[in-house]
Amino acid sequence: MVLEKVKAILSSQFDVEEDSITPETNIADDLGADSLDVVDMLMSLEDEFNVEIPDEEIDHIRTVGEVVAYIEEHM
């Protein structure tokens, strides 16, 4: 369920097909996200899932699967 919501948010934000996003999708390399895109994405995810993702964690989150794992762990 978390993965599906994350995929929907990323699909909308990065204008890519939801089906093309997998847990292995690299946010920077595969979705073309720059640092500003990542901040926007994290704010959207924080609002959607009511979690806080500290700035120091951002450097450790590179793939969609890592985003999902972080959210699931902190919900």
Side-chain angles (χ1 to χ4, degrees):
M1 182 172 147
V2 172
L3 176 60
E4 296 308 314
K5 283 187 178 180
V6 169
K7 285 172 59 172
I9 290 168
L10 297 181
S11 170
S12 172
Q13 187 169 351
F14 295 104
D15 196 28
V16 297
E17 290 292 324
E18 205 170 310
D19 292 342
S20 70
I21 300 172
T22 69
E24 292 79 31
T25 299
N26 184 291
I27 295 162
D29 296 342
D30 299 328
L31 299 179
D34 61 23
S35 58
L36 190 56
D37 292 328
V38 170
V39 171
D40 279 348
M41 174 196 75
L42 292 177
M43 287 182 1
S44 297
L45 294 171
E46 286 175 340
D47 289 345
E48 176 69 33
F49 295 102
N50 197 28
V51 296
E52 186 174 327
I53 304 171
D55 291 344
E56 58 270 10
E57 287 296 324
I58 294 171
D59 294 335
H60 304 293
I61 297 174
R62 290 181 168 57
T63 67
V64 173
E66 290 170 350
V67 170
V68 170
Y70 185 89
I71 291 170
E72 288 176 343
E73 197 175 297
H74 293 88
M75 277 177 58

